[in-house]
Every structure is written in structure tokens, then in C-alpha cells.
Amino acid sequence: QVQLVESGGGLVQAGGSLRLSCTASGSIFSINAMGWYRQVPGKRRELVARMAIDRSMADSYYADSVKGRFTISRDAAKNTVFLQMNSLKPEDTAVYYCSAKRVGVFLMDWGQGTQVTVSS
């Protein structure tokens, strides 16, 4: 099992920036991808950004709504994944969840979520 702990959410004005962090522990050797999702009340959880652990960060995936504004990165030594969010918009307001996909495991592991609120 993998445990994920997120931090870095908060309240920011439109146009501002935040950086989310997600530190993994447990069976981290089996993780082959990590990502960030977000969810607002009444809507499905949506994929924001994802990166494969065994590939360069240039191979990362981004939702169209965040391309050019968000960047996913990783500090392998600290088992931590980041989501740098720039030029934030009110529509980016959501609870952001870190996820980890393990080799051979169907279900993903999730963090507890961190609230991001962007005021207009």
C-alpha cells in the first residue's frame, strides 16, 4: 500500500500561483505513475496532470484547461511530486487530490485532498 500526503493548498487571487506537494510512503517502489486530480461538489473527479515515473517529465500529460499554466514535477530523492499552478483562475477552485498508480494494482491510491480556492 502507498500513503500519500498533500500540502500547499489555500486561498489565492486570480492570476496568482500555488504549489502543491505530495509525498509518498509505503510501497513506493511499485509506483509507475503519479498524478493530480481535482473535484468540485456535484462533479466528477477530473485528471489535471500525470507523469510516468520511469519517463522524463517531458512525457507528462496535462488537461487542456491547464496546459501552459500548470507543471507537474518530481523530486525522486524525497518521493515527492509537485504541481506548480500559475495564472490561476476562479474555475481552478476545487479540492486537489494526489494519486499513485502501482504496477499490477487496478485501483489507484489517493491522498486526502487539499482545497484550492481562487478568488476573482
Side-chain angles (χ1 to χ4, degrees), residues 3 5-6 14 17 32 34 38-39 52 56 59 61 66 71 77 87 94 116:
Q3 294 78 43
V5 178
E6 302 124 332
S17 299
N32 62 357
M34 293 190 72
R38 66 187 181 187
Q39 189 171 25
S56 83
D59 292 335
Y61 163 87
V66 306
T71 303
S87 302
V116 171

Side-chain angles (χ1 to χ4, degrees), residues 2 4-5 17 20 30 41 48 51 56 59-60 71 74 78 102 105 107 115 118 120:
V2 170
L4 303 171
V5 178
S17 299
L20 305 182
S30 61
V48 175
M51 65 183 301
S56 83
D59 292 335
S60 302
T71 303
R74 181 172 72 104
K78 297 181 179 180
R102 287 179 279 155
V105 178
L107 296 177
Q115 176 71 44
V118 184
S120 57

Side-chain angles (χ1 to χ4, degrees), residues 1-115:
Q1 193 173 2
V2 170
Q3 294 78 43
L4 303 171
V5 178
E6 302 124 332
S7 63
L11 173 64
V12 65
Q13 288 188 331
S17 299
L18 282 174
R19 188 175 81 155
L20 305 182
S21 300
C22 172
T23 300
S25 61
S27 302
I28 58 174
F29 60 90
S30 61
I31 297 174
N32 62 357
M34 293 190 72
W36 289 93
Y37 288 71
R38 66 187 181 187
Q39 189 171 25
V40 297
K43 293 191 176 182
R44 297 178 56 181
R45 191 171 296 187
E46 64 170 353
L47 176 62
V48 175
R50 180 181 61 213
M51 65 183 301
I53 296 302
D54 58 352
R55 296 178 184 172
S56 83
M57 287 183 256
D59 292 335
S60 302
Y61 163 87
Y62 295 93
D64 287 342
S65 58
V66 306
K67 280 181 182 176
R69 300 188 298 122
F70 290 11
T71 303
I72 188 170
S73 62
R74 181 172 72 104
D75 183 335
K78 297 181 179 180
N79 301 319
T80 299
V81 170
F82 304 98
L83 185 68
Q84 178 67 42
M85 305 185 294
N86 299 327
S87 302
L88 282 161
K89 304 175 181 181
E91 50 263 44
D92 294 318
T93 295
V95 177
Y96 284 70
Y97 296 91
C98 177
S99 69
K101 182 68 176 68
R102 287 179 279 155
V103 174
V105 178
F106 178 72
L107 296 177
M108 288 195 291
D109 297 293
W110 296 96
Q112 80 283 2
T114 185
Q115 176 71 44

